[in-house]
Amino acid sequence: DDIRARRVELVHIGQIHSAQRIELVERQLRDARIPCHFSAANLRTVLGGFGPFAPIDVLVPREHEAAARTLLS
């Protein structure tokens, strides 16, 4: 999934420190028709109890950067 997402130029718009918030952020972006990718989401599962030390990066295509930042701020 990470490799397929890198086929377009993605920009970092923020971090999520709680995996439970992924669905909330994804729904907000999807409703605004902004594609997104969450980098390191699977790493938190692998790390188990140390997951909170691995923040999840929220990435969107460059052309949607301004709209996504406004939506999530």
Side-chain angles (χ1 to χ4, degrees), residues 46-59:
V46 172
L47 292 177
F50 295 102
F53 297 106
I56 300 166
D57 294 327
V58 181
L59 306 168

Side-chain angles (χ1 to χ4, degrees), residues 2-72:
D2 282 338
I3 292 171
R4 279 190 303 250
R6 303 291 177 166
R7 291 182 181 162
V8 297
E9 184 180 0
L10 299 174
V11 293
H12 180 269
I13 61 163
Q15 290 183 334
I16 301 174
H17 293 280
S18 175
Q20 292 81 8
R21 292 182 181 237
I22 289 177
E23 286 186 41
L24 175 65
V25 172
E26 184 177 28
R27 188 176 329 122
Q28 285 180 317
L29 292 172
R30 186 179 58 235
D31 289 348
R33 300 189 194 284
I34 300 173
C36 61
H37 177 70
F38 298 95
S39 180
N42 294 329
L43 178 61
R44 290 179 66 97
T45 304
V46 172
L47 292 177
F50 295 102
F53 297 106
I56 300 166
D57 294 327
V58 181
L59 306 168
V60 298
R62 182 168 297 285
E63 61 269 13
H64 297 287
E65 179 181 10
R69 285 187 189 276
T70 302
L71 183 65
L72 296 179

